[in-house]
Amino acid sequence: MIDFKNASYLKMRLVDNSQFAGVITPMLIQDEQIISTYKTVRDGVVFTNKRIIAINVQGLTDTKKDFTSLPYSKISAYSVETAGTLDLDSELEMWFSGLGKVKFEFKSNANVSEICRIISTYALQ
């Protein structure tokens, strides 16, 4: 599992869902759909209508991958920090029951309002 407490993530940017669809689709359950996908140089985060899947690409050849499934139903709270004039990144922190805090950083042009809407839509059901 990804060590969210000690991991330092590069800032993610929105990419086409096809970037990770090939490796994620076999893991999806019936009626689960990819909503949006964010990526660093190698790692990524996929938001579906059921969960958040964090992908940690490992090794020199990028063939080894660690997938962490973070169900919306386990989110107890979340916080979003938007980009500012001097601080050009956005941050998303989520607290999961049984896991603790998970933090992702996004480039300044990430639509954090959309990310909040996705999380709220599925976590508050």
Side-chain angles (χ1 to χ4, degrees):
M1 181 188 329
I2 298 170
D3 182 1
F4 290 105
K5 292 181 181 171
N6 295 317
S8 63
Y9 287 96
L10 297 172
K11 293 167 184 46
M12 293 183 279
R13 61 182 166 73
L14 183 66
V15 295
D16 189 80
N17 290 339
S18 64
Q19 291 279 323
F20 288 109
V23 294
I24 292 295
T25 301
M27 298 178 198
L28 301 181
I29 63 172
Q30 184 177 350
D31 298 326
E32 186 173 12
Q33 301 169 2
I34 296 173
I35 298 171
S36 64
T37 303
Y38 291 83
K39 186 177 187 238
T40 65
V41 175
R42 295 169 35 145
D43 300 333
V45 174
V46 176
F47 291 85
T48 77
N49 60 326
K50 305 281 184 190
R51 59 188 158 166
I52 302 165
I53 302 171
I55 304 154
N56 182 9
V57 180
Q58 304 170 354
L60 295 174
T61 60
D62 294 348
T63 55
K64 183 175 180 179
K65 295 173 182 65
D66 176 78
F67 300 91
T68 301
S69 177
L70 305 163
Y72 294 118
S73 63
K74 299 296 181 184
I75 296 175
S76 54
Y78 73 91
S79 171
V80 173
E81 181 181 295
T82 61
T85 303
L86 298 176
D87 186 10
L88 299 177
D89 62 335
S90 301
E91 297 176 0
L92 168 64
E93 293 181 329
M94 298 171 285
W95 287 264
F96 287 85
S97 174
L99 177 64
K101 183 171 79 169
V102 172
K103 179 179 177 180
F104 298 118
E105 293 186 13
F106 300 89
K107 290 191 175 190
S108 62
N109 61 348
N111 188 345
V112 292
S113 297
E114 175 69 11
I115 294 168
C116 288
R117 186 192 62 75
I118 292 168
I119 294 170
S120 295
T121 297
Y122 299 108
L124 298 175
Q125 289 186 2

